[in-house]
């Protein structure tokens, strides 16, 4: 054995950890955990947003109808909403009989054709501010544009269907027989003609558009869990299926379509139907905000799935940005206005709205131009509530037709107050009351 044994090392003294040190260590671990969780949530949120956008952009029908068209200046955005009175889907296939029965829209998909019975120009000013939605009455008699072989005037709703039929005839003459190709290219021609006609009539650029078919109102209402509306008096109409009591109520998909389609039994006819469409959109945006759709992924996905079935938009529209912006439009920040008409006439047996083209252009420019204000003193611009009957300028009242100078849908209804007749006014509970 070695004479020199190694001296054993002294054991290390126990480390004393203070209570404060343990607390700091726990806080550090907690901080790291929270940071990691936060980063994960950010990544998840980003991934979810991208998925929603990719799903929305890749699934909704896309159109090149606005390719090369003039755009708005200074950041303003004009969006044309087009509602087709068609009983066919985007591929030209008949809607199922069960759906047609629910829509109360006729047993045949041939009924209705391809008229754009809803035309609304939504103007969103740059940098925020209150948006304006201009409803164009479907029977306005205007110069059509983009319809091959047609020169002259017709109802503004007819530009789409006339151009579509002409394009299909030209394709068929070239030997094209594929139904889907005929439908696809025919609809593109229809969109271009309708967009060009509306753009020329209103005198403003159209930056984006959304096309909705007849079933769209049905699916939208169901996706939102119902749409709140308010009626000043009870209505019952066998043509549209409308059968509603007076007051505020929430409509399902089938009821919503009846609500926006009714014109029989309304004193102002088609113009009352236009106000119904405005009230439906006001109720839908109110419901979007109240139901928290924009912050609830499940509800948002249901809304997106609904849009896939019925909506076509222009190619290149950043829909995710618009969905975010739509949240700002859902708090009553949209003013609805119906464009003025001069009176009623008949053309080849059909009733038409007589309009003054230059007055319409001035009317639009004064409301969306620089420094514009919705002054009722503008030519042809005497606003009224959606249900108030107005006599068109230069014409007598008509029992089955709408009329009159421009009318603005009211902001959310105020508290009820006695009317001049002594009957309490109806409270819409945040949505406009209409006839």
């Amino acid at each position: 054995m070695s004479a020199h044994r190694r001296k054993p090392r002294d054991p290390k003294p126990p480390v004393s950890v203070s209570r404060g040190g343990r607390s700091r260590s726990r806080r550090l671990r907690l901080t790291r955990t929270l940071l990691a969780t936060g980063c994960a949530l950010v990544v998840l949120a980003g991934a979810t947003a991208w998925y929603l956008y990719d799903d929305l952009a890749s699934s909704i029908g896309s159109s090149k109808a606005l390719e090369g068209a003039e755009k708005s200046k200074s950041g303003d955005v004009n969006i044309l909403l087009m509602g087709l009175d068609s009983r066919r889907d985007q591929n030209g296939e008949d809607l199922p009989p069960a759906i047609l029965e629910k829509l109360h829209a006729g047993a045949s998909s041939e009924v209705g054709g391809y008229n754009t019975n809803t035309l609304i120009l939504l103007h969103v000013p740059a940098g925020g501010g209150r948006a304006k939605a201009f409803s164009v009455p479907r029977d306005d008699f205007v110069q059509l544009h983009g319809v091959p072989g047609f020169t002259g005037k017709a109802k503004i709703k007819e530009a789409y269907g006339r151009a579509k039929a002409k394009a299909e005839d030209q394709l068929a003459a070239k030997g094209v027989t594929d139904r889907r190709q005929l439908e696809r290219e025919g609809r593109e021609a229809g969109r271009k003609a309708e967009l060009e006609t509306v753009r020329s009539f209103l005198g403003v650029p159209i930056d984006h558009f959304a096309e909705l078919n007849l079933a769209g109102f049905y699916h939208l209402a169901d996706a939102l869990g119902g749409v709140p509306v308010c009626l000043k008096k009870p209505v019952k109409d066998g043509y549209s299926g409308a059968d509603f009591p007076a007051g505020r109520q929430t409509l399902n998909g089938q009821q919503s379509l009846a609500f926006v389609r009714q014109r029989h039994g309304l004193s102002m006819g088609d113009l009352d139907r236009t106000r119904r469409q405005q009230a439906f959109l006001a109720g839908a945006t109110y419901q979007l905000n109240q139901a928290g759709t924009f912050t609830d992924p499940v509800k948002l996905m249901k809304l997106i799935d609904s849009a896939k079935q019925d909506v076509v938009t222009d190619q290149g529209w950043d829909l995710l940005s618009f969905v975010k912006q739509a949240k700002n439009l859902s708090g009553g920040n949209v003013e609805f206005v119906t464009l003025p008409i001069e009176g009623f006439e008949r053309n080849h047996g059909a009733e038409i709205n007589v309009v003054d083209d230059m007055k319409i252009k001035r009317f639009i420019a004064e409301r969306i131009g620089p420094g514009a204000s919705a002054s009722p003193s503008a030519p042809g611009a005497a606003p009224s509530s959606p249900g108030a009957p107005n006599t068109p300028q230069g014409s007598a009242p008509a029992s089955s037709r709408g009329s009159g100078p421009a009318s603005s849908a009211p902001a959310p209804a105020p508290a009820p107050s006695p009317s001049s007749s002594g009957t309490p006014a109806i409270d819409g509970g945040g949505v406009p009351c209409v006839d």
Side-chain angles (χ1 to χ4, degrees):
M1 292 181 65
S2 171
H4 304 284
R5 293 182 177 178
R6 291 181 179 176
K7 188 176 180 179
R9 294 178 180 174
D10 294 332
K12 292 182 179 179
V15 178
S16 175
V17 180
S18 68
R19 187 173 300 171
R22 286 196 297 270
S23 178
R24 283 194 299 273
S25 178
R26 282 197 298 270
R27 285 199 298 269
L28 183 61
R29 287 198 299 272
L30 180 60
T31 300
R32 281 199 292 260
T33 301
L34 289 174
L35 284 173
T37 303
C39 289
L41 288 174
V42 169
V43 172
L44 180 61
T48 302
W50 172 250
Y51 169 77
L52 290 174
Y53 174 72
D54 186 59
D55 186 47
L56 187 64
S58 62
S59 302
I60 285 185
S62 181
S63 165
K64 295 182 179 180
L66 279 176
E67 201 170 65
E70 179 190 359
K71 299 294 183 182
S72 296
K73 306 294 191 296
S74 306
D76 288 1
V77 178
N78 293 327
I79 302 166
L80 184 65
L81 308 177
M82 299 192 298
L84 281 184
D85 193 30
S86 172
R87 277 71 165 164
R88 296 179 185 270
D89 64 18
Q90 294 179 26
N91 295 315
E93 302 294 334
D94 294 351
L95 292 175
I99 293 292
L100 286 173
E101 184 179 356
K102 287 182 178 179
L103 299 182
H104 205 87
S108 170
S109 62
E110 297 299 329
V111 178
Y114 286 87
N115 289 328
T116 51
N117 278 347
T118 302
L119 287 169
I120 299 177
L121 182 77
L122 177 65
H123 174 77
V124 184
R130 197 176 190 199
K132 292 182 175 64
F134 300 94
S135 289
V136 183
R138 64 175 189 163
D139 290 340
D140 283 4
F141 199 62
V142 305
Q143 189 79 34
L144 298 193
H145 296 271
V147 181
F150 181 87
T151 57
K153 291 186 174 184
K155 294 182 180 182
I156 195 167
K157 68 179 182 181
E158 296 178 6
Y160 191 115
R162 286 174 178 267
K164 177 182 183 294
K166 189 67 176 180
E168 289 178 357
D169 288 345
Q170 292 174 341
L171 288 168
K174 295 178 182 178
V176 176
T177 58
D178 183 78
R179 284 186 58 191
R180 291 201 169 196
Q181 182 182 351
L182 290 169
E183 183 73 15
R184 184 175 62 253
E185 296 190 30
R187 285 201 179 198
E188 275 293 270
R191 291 172 190 130
K192 288 180 181 178
E194 194 68 50
L195 289 162
E196 188 177 342
T197 297
V198 173
R199 182 167 51 236
S200 175
F201 179 52
L202 302 184
V204 294
I206 297 174
D207 304 288
H208 301 292
F209 80 89
E211 173 189 304
L212 187 72
N213 68 15
L214 189 63
F217 289 100
Y218 175 90
H219 291 133
L220 174 60
D222 277 358
L224 293 175
V227 172
V229 300
C230 178
L231 283 171
K232 295 179 180 178
K233 57 187 177 183
V235 295
K236 187 169 185 177
D237 172 42
Y239 292 96
S240 64
D243 186 1
F244 308 119
R248 193 183 193 277
Q249 53 209 288
T250 299
L251 307 183
N252 62 25
Q254 184 174 351
Q255 294 169 326
S256 294
L257 189 66
F259 178 81
V260 299
R261 291 184 66 242
Q262 183 186 0
R263 63 187 176 93
H264 296 280
L266 299 178
S267 60
M268 309 306 292
D270 265 349
L271 289 191
D272 272 340
R273 175 157 72 171
T274 297
R275 296 177 182 115
R276 288 280 190 92
Q277 294 166 358
Q278 296 169 351
F280 175 85
L281 290 176
T285 54
Y286 175 88
Q287 181 69 3
L288 281 168
N289 194 44
Q290 294 296 310
T293 304
F294 296 111
T295 56
D296 186 326
V298 175
K299 292 179 179 177
L300 189 56
M301 282 299 296
K302 189 174 181 181
L303 186 63
I304 289 173
D305 284 339
S306 171
K308 292 177 190 176
Q309 303 175 69
D310 311 303
V311 178
V312 174
T313 67
D314 57 288
Q315 192 174 73
W317 188 4
D318 187 349
L319 292 172
L320 184 60
S321 294
F322 180 71
V323 166
K324 292 177 181 177
Q325 190 176 34
K327 183 179 180 181
N328 299 325
L329 300 179
S330 63
N333 289 326
V334 181
E335 176 190 358
F336 290 91
V337 180
T338 303
L339 296 184
I341 64 174
E342 302 302 303
F344 307 117
E345 290 182 6
R346 300 189 74 85
N347 183 64
H348 299 293
E351 293 178 315
I352 60 170
N353 298 334
V354 179
V355 293
D356 183 328
D357 288 22
M358 293 308 299
K359 183 181 290 186
I360 293 294
K361 289 177 175 60
R362 290 197 304 271
F363 181 86
I364 294 289
E366 289 173 1
R367 282 154 180 77
I368 68 176
S373 61
S375 168
S377 61
S384 64
S385 66
N390 294 313
T391 301
Q393 299 174 19
S395 71
S399 60
S400 63
R401 300 277 304 188
S403 66
S407 60
S408 300
S417 60
S419 67
S420 57
S421 65
T423 305
I426 294 175
D427 178 17
V431 296
C433 287
V434 295
D435 285 328

